[in-house]
Amino acid sequence: MKAALVLGTQLFEHNPACADAEVILFVESERAFCRRPYHAHKIVLLLSAMRHAADRLERSGRRVARIELGQGLGFADGLRTLLREHHVQTLAWMSATDRGIDSRIARLCEAEGVLTEIHPDGLFLTPTEDLDRWFAAHPAARMEDFYRWQRRRTGILMDGDSPVGGRWNFDADNRQPLPRGGLAIPPLPFPDPDAITRAVIAEVADRFPGHPGDPADFWLPVTPDGARAWLADFVTHRLASFGPYEDAMAADKPFLFHAVLSPLLNIGLLRVEEVVEAAVAPRPSRCPLGLARRASSAGDRLAGVHAGRVPRQPHAVDANHFGLTRRLEPWWYTGRDISTTCPGPHRAGARAPVGVSPTTSSG
């Protein structure tokens, strides 16, 4: 039997690994969520999106098998259980962005006598081979160099060999302060949780009571359709003001004109191509270049760094240039008592993005 494994960060509407699979596997690893004090909203997002993906596949007539959170298994034990229960002979999956995942799955399959089939990572625009060649030729791996190369390679916001508008970036135009008289900020289109999400919220509250954040306040979309509606709302109501006020901040307005797309892109509910197309389509000569830049280039470059193509970068995740030894204080994880040192949107009851700040990539 041929099976496909769908990872929690690869919840595409059409995952190529699933194309000819007889059964599609999902593993909810409770141990993974216990490993660090992840924010409750991140756990709700991943679990609800995974369960919606499984439900969508089942409703379309596909056979699905899952290891559920309550079974208490880690990822490896859960996958091994599914491989044995369904007599899997070949396992297909999409290459993981996180280093080591592919080799870990491959070793497990080898031990179980299961053949493997790995599909290219669909989270990014740039094929792996192109990334390898670019990083090999650019050891400094500067973002601006990568950005210009990516624009030329894809043709995004290009007029022949020249950038649209005659400049590669308009960063200086993104630093306008909010008007003193105030400015109407369109609200984010918070979706109402459905039955699946409500069940996940209750389960996360029960199983992870010590994790920061209140799962009951979860507010992000958890399906590809919901993510596209979220993106469309941004294009309609906030895109025009995103560029000028991209770097602005306000203590009582945690989002301003930002799209909060990173969580949706990070797990495959949105594709980079969809975001770029939506940003460019309204008026390609005047669209906020910052959004297209982040969507088309920033994530791809960071994926290359994360994959170890620039192992000696001074800002690598395992570097400690300043020799710091103090551990992060508890408030970093809990948010308690933070108001005394960080007033504003972090106060009790305020809503903040999951996994991103209001000024990180993709708006």
Side-chain angles (χ1 to χ4, degrees):
M1 176 178 289
K2 182 176 181 178
L5 172 65
V6 175
L7 299 175
T9 55
Q10 300 176 343
L11 303 174
F12 301 100
E13 190 169 31
H14 303 289
N15 188 319
C18 301
D20 58 349
E22 298 168 78
V23 61
I24 302 172
L25 313 179
F26 291 82
V27 178
E28 298 177 3
S29 173
E30 184 165 2
R31 296 177 191 174
F33 295 127
C34 293
R35 192 173 299 128
R36 294 183 178 88
Y38 295 110
H39 196 286
H41 289 193
K42 179 174 183 175
I43 303 176
V44 173
L45 173 65
L46 287 168
L47 287 177
S48 182
M50 288 177 71
R51 293 181 187 181
H52 276 91
D55 179 69
R56 184 171 65 250
L57 287 164
E58 287 184 318
R59 286 189 286 103
S60 70
R62 305 299 299 273
R63 183 182 175 190
V64 172
R66 297 192 297 136
I67 294 295
E68 299 182 356
L69 200 67
Q71 294 176 250
L73 297 177
F75 176 78
D77 289 338
L79 178 56
R80 186 180 295 108
T81 298
L82 291 174
L83 293 177
R84 293 177 178 178
E85 285 183 354
H86 296 277
H87 308 288
V88 174
Q89 297 171 309
T90 301
L91 181 68
W93 74 92
M94 184 179 288
S95 181
T97 303
D98 290 341
R99 287 183 292 182
I101 297 294
D102 288 345
S103 58
R104 184 182 177 193
I105 297 173
R107 287 196 302 270
L108 190 152
C109 286
E110 183 179 8
E112 295 295 317
V114 174
L115 300 176
T116 60
E117 178 181 299
I118 305 178
H119 293 257
D121 188 350
L123 283 177
F124 306 100
L125 280 179
T126 314
T128 299
E129 297 78 9
D130 290 347
L131 271 181
D132 287 339
R133 283 193 292 268
W134 188 87
F135 277 97
H138 300 80
R142 286 187 292 268
M143 176 60 200
E144 185 66 21
D145 294 338
F146 185 89
Y147 171 57
R148 296 187 185 193
W149 170 78
Q150 184 78 311
R151 289 269 294 273
R152 292 188 177 102
R153 187 185 72 83
T154 62
I156 294 172
L157 292 171
M158 294 293 292
D159 183 8
D161 294 330
S162 301
V164 168
R167 290 158 57 190
W168 285 106
N169 67 64
F170 293 78
D171 287 349
D173 299 339
N174 298 338
R175 297 164 186 163
Q176 293 186 30
L178 294 174
R180 288 186 177 274
L183 193 65
I185 310 297
L188 289 173
F190 299 125
D192 293 324
D194 63 7
I196 292 176
T197 301
R198 290 195 299 271
V200 171
I201 287 171
E203 191 170 0
V204 171
D206 178 62
R207 292 186 176 277
F208 307 103
H211 286 234
D214 184 353
D217 290 336
F218 179 76
W219 46 268
L220 284 165
V222 291
T223 65
D225 283 344
R228 284 191 286 267
W230 182 275
L231 172 61
D233 182 88
F234 164 71
V235 171
T236 300
H237 299 293
R238 299 189 301 284
L239 176 61
S241 297
F242 169 73
Y245 303 111
E246 185 176 348
D247 292 345
M249 299 181 70
D252 60 341
K253 295 178 176 64
F255 305 109
L256 294 181
F257 296 99
H258 286 264
V260 194
L261 296 177
S262 294
L264 313 181
L265 285 164
N266 289 346
I267 64 173
L269 295 183
L270 278 177
R271 287 185 174 273
V272 173
E273 297 92 331
E274 293 178 283
V275 176
V276 173
E277 182 179 353
V280 172
R283 43 181 180 274
S285 62
R286 297 177 57 226
C287 84
L289 294 184
L291 182 66
R293 174 188 180 120
R294 283 162 175 73
S296 65
S297 301
D300 288 50
R301 176 184 170 276
L302 287 176
V305 174
H306 185 64
R309 294 181 175 91
V310 193
R312 296 186 181 277
Q313 283 239 72
H315 55 275
V317 293
D318 57 351
N320 188 5
H321 176 77
F322 294 105
L324 304 177
T325 58
R326 288 178 56 191
R327 297 182 64 84
L328 292 175
E329 297 177 11
W331 64 261
W332 178 270
Y333 298 102
T334 66
R336 298 189 182 99
D337 298 324
I338 192 173
S339 59
T340 60
T341 58
C342 191
H346 301 286
R347 67 192 186 286
R351 283 176 164 172
V354 178
V356 293
S357 71
T359 55
T360 53
S361 65
S362 305

